[in-house]
Each structure stands twice: as structure tokens, then as C-alpha cells.
Amino acid sequence: MSTDPLVVFTPSGKRGRFPKGTPVLTAARQLGVDLDSVCGGRGICSKCQITPGYGEFSKHGVTVHPDALSEWNAVEERYDQKRGLKPGRRLGCQAQIMGDVVIDVPPESQVHKQVVRKAASARVIEMDPATRLYFVEVDEADMHEPTGDFERLKRALKAQWEIDNIRADLSLLSKLQPVLRKGKFQVTVALHRGHVESPAQVLEIWPGLHEGGLFGLAIDLGSTTVAAHLTDLETGEVKASSGIMNPQIRFGEDLMSRVSYAMMNPGGDREMTAAVRDAINTLAEEIAKEAGIDANLIVETVFVCNPVMHHLLLGIDPVELGQAPFALATSGSMALNARELDLSAINPRAQVYVLPCIAGHVGADAAAVALSEEPGKSDDLALIVDVGTNAEILLGDKTRVLACSSPTGPAFEGAQISSGQRAAPGAIEAIRIDPVTKEPRFRVIGSDIWSDEDGFDEAVGDGGITGICGSGIIEAVAEMRMAGLLDESGLIGSSGATGTARMIEDGRTHSYVIHDGSAKGGPVITVTQGDIRAIQLAKSALYAGARLLMDERGVDKVDRVVLAGAFGAHISPLHAMVLGMIPDVPLDKVTSAGNAAGTGARIALCNVAARREIERVVGEITKVETAIEPKFQEHFVAANAIPHKTDPFPELSKIVILPNPNFNTHGDGSDGGRRKRRR
Ligand code: FES
């Protein structure tokens, strides 16, 4: 048996014997242990830090003596003095194995570190970005060996990092020579490796060791807002998150009105493309400033978006998406150069990846949700809804995943609602109505205090109560239904029929007053019959889309529901169910995934293998087109009742008994009390 020292690495548990004097980094590489290095073992990058353990390790059958590693050397001393090493840490490229030893690789020294998402689900992202830093020593130019500087850089990358097949564009070549000389032929390159078979591309080069980091943007390009996460490509840490309104709103609020703008106005598509690219540049500049980094260090960008935004970002006329058969110019993923998209605010050689679209109505944003929530790996049948102006719906488990999109319209975001506003301080976001007194109590964004609690007025502050946001209107409608102020058909009762003076006449219909701020010059916040109708249309579209997928799958119930989207995070499961937005499941089976599309974008940014994974998964998803499916209309009509005309909600009825008033005494959709007076 070999008498060479035994080395055990934790947490991987990998072990092997190595001759005395072997650097820890070399042993780690030979065993396939995940230990980082940018400088290739030259003792200057400090990425290879390890913590040796000393003493008895019965679990590993090893006793580690104090001299198990070579002595602290001058390189480590210099680094410690300059930057400081944590107590107990050594540089893996400097410390040599002299005896049996147990070596821990701390998370920050692992290349493929796991980044835990903050959101509710425990999904972790494994770091494996497409672009990484490599430090190399390049041979100096020599008259006797007349090769180009770039050829010698390539030779160095091959010899020192075993990376072959490298290319660089002209703009990089034009800065190569001064940088090489400034760094005395020691340089750091940012190398992008997308597809395995495509050449590695040098995106940036710095003299000496570059320590300023490397960053990427994960962008969720929505029809209303553009949200970006600036992510450290080495650690996976989100350095800053920021959003901006999509300036295309001036061409049309929703997607179809933007498609019609492009149809009616020659060059309209180009105007919209320029507007959104401008906004992305502004956002990139702002977010880099917020994080305090040089925007030139942003070398990667990943986009997720719906099909219309996808085309408008890429500069493709979306006209075909406005009519059956809703053909995409391309449904595949896209790997592009930032310059092709006029992204001038970031590194000029930055690489862009756009996730694949699922279908003409189901975009890369839905693909990103699939990447983040992984319905195809679920043991039970999961319904995932990403609620926005369009709802993206995925239904699936290990056997099969289906997807569709449903035109819910902007009501769930507080638009087209009489007192509606976007989610901002002052907006009512939660509401309860006493079933006996019919009195409301509510909470506004920016305060945790309910309106009937002490200190509410002070907490709300000078801005006052300004309106009602998406989650607020859902709760308001569901609470009105639970309090008997609204019947199953969605008709609001009169004050006589409901017994509350909060019901006021509003033309031929009635409105419920939640808050009257008029005495102080503030708004009167009501829920009108029109608001109820807008919410009914939106929720019927959502439910009908889900039912269509369930039909395709041959089931009438699902095991769990995941609400995704920034808005999904704020929807109360109980109220969503009372409203009949989602199919009946036990309440504890409704969870929120936060901004799943944004998370999917981050995963694709941080892990290049995830890009291949989602390209494969999208190919296997069954697409269901709601617009041409006759059953959709049938489901839509049945879903108009609150919670539903025909589908039973047995789980809901275990927790809530819904009153059963009927405010339409004439069977014609109008309010009986008012009709009497008119007669
Ligand atoms: Fe760079 Fe050890 S590998 S300091």
C-alpha cells in the first residue's frame, strides 16, 4: 500500500494519496474537487483558499498532525499582509501536502458554488457561468519567433488552462497590444464559452490580475415594466435590482395594441424597438451606478420576455403574432452580441442570451418560469400561473408539461379599475369586510397597521390613502362576496338589500365605499360594478386557461397551485380561491414562487448548462393555443360566476361558507331595487 499522505477534501468527501510536496490545488484538480483559481496557482488571486483541519477525524479515519501541510510561505505572508487571510486559511496553490490531512473548501473558494434563492422555494443555483476570468502569462514578443500577440495569448491559454479554439473580435484585438505591454505580458482575460462546440471568445482583457469582478444582467422584459438584476458572475450574488417602466406603453398599453401600432404605422415596430433598447441602456447605466461598478464589467445579459416583447427587442416586426397562426420569427434561444441590440451602456463585446419561446403566445418568460419552477420534475401535478397582463400557465408533472397563455388584461394590476393604481405607497393592498356590520378595515402599502388600529393615520402619513392596487382589488371583490355584498353572478346589492349605507347608487348600479377621504381633499375609494366586471373577465380568462390545460391532461383537479410573478407573491390564496381565479385545492397547497421569470433569467445567467436544459425542456412542452380553442369560450363563460357556475369548490367550502344572495330579481342582469324605482 502506498505510504503517500492521504488527503480528504470536505464537503465533497473526495480523497486520494499524493506524494509529499504536492500543492493542495494540484491534488484538488486531480481528484476533481471544486477549488477555484483565476491565476493558475501563481499565488496572486487568492481564489484557492482552503482551511486545513487538525486532530483526530474518526469519520475519515485520519489523524492530522500540525505539520501535515508545508509551512506558511512568503507568498501567503505577502498576501496576508496586503489583503488579509482569515485565521486558519491557507492558499491552496502554496500549501503543500506533507502528511495525512483533511481539507475544507469553503463555499467562496468553490467554482460551482450554490447560491440559495431568497424566495420561498429552496431552489439553489449552481454557479457555472458562461464567462469566467483567466490569468495568463504570455510569452513576450521575440524577433526570432515572429508570431502575433494574439497567437501567443492563445498559446498561453492552451498551455496554462487547456483551453483551445479561441477567438476575439477586432475591437478586442485593437486593445490587445497596449494591455499586454502594460501588464508586462501578464494579463487577465474574460473568456466566454457558450455552446461547447463554439469557439471561446475573449470579451475583455486587463493588464495583470483583474480584481474588479465580472457581472451580468438578468432582465425580465415585461410589457409594463423592465426589471433587471445585476449579478456577480463569480459569486452569484445579486448586487442590485432595479426596474423601469417600459416606454413602449406610449404606443399601446397591452401587447395587442402594440402589435396593431406596428400594423397601422409603417416603421412603428422600429420606433418601439428603439424605445425599449434605449430604456434597457438607461436601466443598465442606473443599476451599475447603484451597485457602484463600472458598466464595462457587465459582460453578459440574459433576457426573458413574452413573444411580442421578444420580437420588438430583437428588432423583428411582431405583426405575425397578431393573427392566427401566431407564427414566431424564431422560437429558438438566441445567442447574440450586445452590439446587435444597440446595448451601448455595457461592455461592447458583452454576450446576450435570450431564452427560447414556447409558442406564439407563450414566451421566453414562461420558459423562464419552467426553468425556475421545474414542473417537469414534480411528483405531483402542479399548476403554475404567472399573473400579469397576460397570464402564463403551466401544468405538469414528471410525465408531461403543458403550457398556454391567457389574456387576463391589466385589471389584476389595478388598471381599468375605477380607484385602481399600481402597487405603491398609499395603495390599499389588503382588506377585510365584517360579514355582520359590512364595515371594511384595510392596510395600505408602506404600513403594517390596519385602518381600525391606533396609529394608522400617522403611519399612512401625508400621502394618505390614494387608491387600490391589484392584490387589494382581488381581496376587496372576494371579501364583498364573502360578506354577502355581491352575489354569485357578480352583481352588487343595493344598500337596502345589503343593509349598509356604504352602498351608494352609481347610475343604474351600486358601488361599495371603502374609504371616503373627501373631507380632507382625498379620494373616495369605491368598488364599482364596472370594477367587478373587469375582475370577472380577468379571472375567468385565467381560470379558463387553467381548465383548458386540465382538459388536455384529462384531469379535473390539480395537486397544487404555484402563483408566480411579482404580483403572485402578494395574492392571498384564500381570496384568489373565493374569486375562482384558480382551481380548488387545499389552501396549504397554494404557494408563491415570487418573481419566477426573473429567477429563471438569473439561473440562465449563472449556469450555462441550464440554458441547454431549458432549450431541451421547451421542446418537450405541449403547447395549447387558447385563442383558437372553442372550449376556451365555454370555460370562460362558466368561470364568470364567483367562484364558478358549475365547478364545485369542495376544499374552499370546507373553510368558507359563501352566502347566497341574488341581487338580480328580474333575471336581466340589472339591479332589482333600481328597476322598481324606474317603473
Ligand atoms: Fe490564485 Fe492560489 S490559485 S492564489
Side-chain angles (χ1 to χ4, degrees), residues 584-599:
D584 184 66
V585 287
L587 264 199
D588 61 353
K589 293 287 182 190
V590 185
T591 54
S592 160
N595 182 3
T599 302

Side-chain angles (χ1 to χ4, degrees), residues 65 77 121 144 189 244 273 286 331 363 377 394 401 414 435 437 442 467 479 503 512 516 531 568 579 591 637:
H65 297 290
E77 182 60 33
S121 86
H144 303 293
V189 293
I244 193 169
T273 295
E286 279 174 5
S331 58
K377 291 186 181 164
L394 295 157
V401 178
T437 64
F442 53 85
E479 286 283 329
M503 222 43 106
Y512 177 69
D516 185 351
D531 297 342
L579 205 59
T591 54
V637 171

Side-chain angles (χ1 to χ4, degrees), residues 164-218:
D164 227 346
N165 194 10
I166 292 161
R167 64 174 295 274
D169 75 7
L170 188 55
S171 68
L172 191 282
L173 291 177
S174 70
K175 65 189 290 191
L176 175 65
Q177 295 200 306
V179 172
L180 271 175
R181 277 146 191 90
K182 187 169 177 202
K184 300 196 170 52
F185 287 84
Q186 296 190 336
V187 290
T188 307
V189 293
L191 210 56
H192 173 83
R193 293 201 278 181
H195 285 83
V196 187
E197 63 276 11
S198 57
Q201 190 175 352
V202 184
L203 301 184
E204 195 49 275
I205 183 163
W206 296 268
L209 180 72
H210 168 70
E211 295 183 281
L214 213 50
F215 300 89
L217 285 174

Side-chain angles (χ1 to χ4, degrees), residues 25 36-48 91-94:
L25 179 64
D36 201 0
S37 157
V38 166
C39 73
R42 290 174 182 81
I44 52 175
C45 73
S46 84
K47 298 283 184 194
C48 61
L91 293 182
C93 62
Q94 301 301 314

Side-chain angles (χ1 to χ4, degrees), residues 75-369:
V75 174
E76 290 172 298
E77 182 60 33
R78 196 179 60 224
Y79 188 84
D80 191 27
Q81 295 211 332
K82 240 172 96 189
R83 297 282 161 78
L85 271 175
K86 281 191 190 157
R89 288 275 175 89
R90 300 285 307 265
L91 293 182
C93 62
Q94 301 301 314
Q96 297 167 359
I97 297 158
M98 305 306 284
D100 292 352
V101 66
V102 175
I103 286 175
D104 185 56
V105 180
E108 61 269 32
S109 301
Q110 296 169 12
V111 186
H112 303 286
K113 43 186 97 42
Q114 311 253 297
V115 185
V116 179
R117 270 176 55 194
K118 282 199 207 112
S121 86
R123 175 77 201 259
V124 293
I125 303 175
E126 184 183 300
M127 289 308 291
D128 189 10
T131 305
R132 293 189 53 197
L133 293 171
Y134 298 89
F135 176 84
V136 275
E137 288 180 66
V138 180
D139 289 339
E140 292 196 25
D142 182 345
M143 283 227 296
H144 303 293
E145 207 202 322
T147 53
D149 281 343
F150 182 56
E151 284 63 40
R152 269 178 282 108
L153 171 67
K154 288 206 281 191
R155 205 164 66 198
L157 281 162
K158 168 93 170 123
Q160 293 160 39
W161 292 101
E162 293 172 15
I163 302 171
D164 227 346
N165 194 10
I166 292 161
R167 64 174 295 274
D169 75 7
L170 188 55
S171 68
L172 191 282
L173 291 177
S174 70
K175 65 189 290 191
L176 175 65
Q177 295 200 306
V179 172
L180 271 175
R181 277 146 191 90
K182 187 169 177 202
K184 300 196 170 52
F185 287 84
Q186 296 190 336
V187 290
T188 307
V189 293
L191 210 56
H192 173 83
R193 293 201 278 181
H195 285 83
V196 187
E197 63 276 11
S198 57
Q201 190 175 352
V202 184
L203 301 184
E204 195 49 275
I205 183 163
W206 296 268
L209 180 72
H210 168 70
E211 295 183 281
L214 213 50
F215 300 89
L217 285 174
I219 300 186
D220 182 359
L221 177 54
S223 359
T224 314
T225 52
V226 188
H229 302 290
L230 178 69
T231 307
D232 184 322
L233 289 179
E234 292 179 293
T235 63
E237 190 192 337
V238 176
K239 293 296 210 187
S241 295
S242 190
I244 193 169
M245 292 305 276
N246 187 332
Q248 292 177 342
I249 287 180
R250 68 172 184 267
F251 302 102
E253 283 262 343
D254 57 30
L255 294 173
M256 278 312 133
S257 52
R258 279 178 224 172
V259 174
S260 4
Y261 183 84
M263 284 176 175
M264 321 277 283
N265 301 278
D269 58 319
R270 287 196 296 281
E271 264 181 275
M272 288 188 277
T273 295
V276 78
R277 289 178 178 179
D278 254 6
I280 294 164
N281 277 322
T282 307
L283 181 59
E285 266 166 31
E286 279 174 5
I287 201 169
K289 194 140 99 211
E290 190 187 325
I293 68 146
D294 174 1
N296 197 49
L297 295 173
I298 300 174
V299 292
E300 292 241 21
T301 299
V302 166
F303 282 100
V304 302
C305 39
N306 61 56
V308 173
M309 289 315 307
H310 174 270
H311 278 39
L312 287 173
L313 168 70
L314 295 174
I316 301 171
D317 191 336
V319 58
E320 290 300 328
L321 298 173
Q323 61 210 14
F326 312 107
L328 289 153
T330 173
S331 58
S333 65
M334 305 281 290
L336 305 160
N337 202 303
R339 271 182 304 220
E340 292 178 78
L341 299 183
D342 304 327
L343 302 185
S344 52
I346 58 177
N347 188 294
R349 289 166 296 278
Q351 298 295 299
V352 173
Y353 178 78
V354 187
L355 269 77
C357 288
I358 297 178
H361 269 161
V362 193
D365 45 0
V369 172

